Amino acid sequence: MNKIKCIIVDDEPLAISLLEQYVQKIPFLELVFSTENPIEALEYIQNNDSDLIFLDIQMPELTGINFMKIVGAKQKYILTTAYSEYALEGYEHNIVDYLLKPVSFERFLKSAMKAQERFSFQEEDAHFFVKSSGQQHRINFNEILYIESIKDYVNIRTAGEEYIVLDTLKSMENQLSESFVRIHKSFIVNLDKVKSIGAKKISLHELEIPIGDSYRANLLDRLK
């Protein structure tokens, strides 16, 4: 399993410092961003890859609860706060865990291991259901070669099937795992299925997909 990319959002500098130290002690976690400002965190999430957010609930600019409502299920959350009365409301958003400040390393490690289990299960059993040709179809992520935008629809292509679905590429991006990357305004590909990558195209399963100029830098960064 790849490292879990973490963000820390807390309006208390000392709390951020402590969590940063804890993250650095755990091999399967990778700290990619930390901030006292939740608005900065929202901007980072829009433009970068991340998996797990250590999120303070009570912040002046934007509460953790409202933050989760904006970002949605694209991220997983471990909530941190000094106020236990927020716990029940936090769990309504399907979070991984809830940490009550001050947070001990032992308790932090337990939460991190819970997150690792959640991500491991997600990778092994990742799938979604889509409606195509009047039926609901279960599609496992590891079966998908690419997804193509066709006007108001997307074509989800596997080795043996095509599913035409009323949806958008942006919506697909928010549901898929980190194995998938958008390489063109009209294409998302599964990097696990790629055979070769050239200057202007990707080859997979005897198919060639163009690489858009504005997407090339992100693709190269993902390949690193």
Side-chain angles (χ1 to χ4, degrees):
M1 178 181 171
N2 295 326
K3 286 190 175 184
I4 300 170
K5 296 180 179 180
C6 303
I7 294 175
I8 297 171
V9 186
D10 197 307
D11 64 335
E12 300 177 14
L14 291 178
I16 290 179
S17 179
L18 180 64
L19 293 178
E20 287 177 340
Q21 293 176 42
Y22 286 172
V23 168
Q24 291 167 2
K25 291 180 179 180
I26 299 177
F28 57 82
L29 298 183
E30 178 186 359
L31 181 64
V32 295
F33 187 71
S34 61
T35 180
E36 299 171 34
N37 187 337
I39 308 302
E40 289 183 355
L42 290 175
E43 183 177 359
Y44 181 88
I45 291 166
Q46 283 185 323
N47 298 295
N48 299 274
D49 293 329
S50 57
D51 305 307
L52 176 66
I53 302 177
F54 292 93
L55 179 65
D56 187 21
I57 292 181
Q58 195 171 48
M59 296 180 288
E61 295 90 355
L62 184 69
T63 69
I65 300 299
N66 288 332
F67 183 97
M68 289 188 293
K69 289 178 180 178
I70 293 171
V71 177
K74 183 179 180 180
Q75 303 285 319
K76 289 182 172 54
Y77 307 91
I78 292 178
L79 299 184
T80 63
T81 185
Y83 302 92
S84 59
E85 62 266 26
Y86 289 103
L88 181 60
E89 185 178 4
Y91 276 119
E92 293 176 359
H93 295 270
N94 194 31
I95 64 171
V96 174
D97 204 0
Y98 182 97
L99 295 175
L100 188 62
K101 297 177 180 178
V103 182
S104 69
F105 178 70
E106 179 181 5
R107 184 65 183 85
F108 181 90
L109 177 59
K110 184 177 180 180
S111 286
M113 293 178 69
K114 187 181 292 187
Q116 186 185 39
E117 290 177 4
R118 183 80 64 87
F119 279 102
S120 295
F121 177 78
Q122 178 177 299
E123 288 183 357
E124 292 170 3
D125 192 46
H127 66 275
F128 51 31
F129 284 88
V130 298
K131 185 175 182 180
S132 178
S133 301
Q135 295 182 323
Q136 292 286 340
H137 301 269
R138 171 175 166 148
I139 304 178
N140 295 328
F141 288 179
N142 59 11
E143 296 175 347
I144 299 172
L145 298 175
Y146 67 84
I147 302 174
E148 179 184 6
S149 174
I150 306 173
K151 294 186 177 180
D152 296 329
Y153 294 81
V154 295
N155 176 15
I156 304 173
R157 176 71 183 269
T158 68
E161 299 286 345
E162 289 184 328
Y163 303 90
I164 306 299
V165 179
L166 181 61
D167 212 331
T168 65
L169 279 191
K170 185 62 178 177
S171 174
M172 290 284 107
E173 277 187 295
N174 291 337
Q175 299 177 65
L176 295 166
S177 67
E178 63 178 17
S179 298
F180 293 83
V181 61
R182 192 162 181 171
I183 64 165
H184 187 275
K185 66 179 182 179
S186 299
F187 290 96
I188 296 172
V189 301
N190 185 350
L191 291 179
D192 291 339
K193 303 295 185 181
V194 171
K195 289 185 176 181
S196 64
I197 300 176
K200 295 186 177 181
K201 61 186 177 182
I202 278 180
S203 297
L204 67 165
H205 197 71
E206 301 179 356
L207 300 168
E208 292 186 345
I209 308 294
I211 301 172
D213 291 340
S214 60
Y215 296 88
R216 183 174 292 105
N218 181 55
L219 172 62
L220 295 176
D221 184 60
R222 290 288 300 276
L223 292 173
K224 292 178 182 177

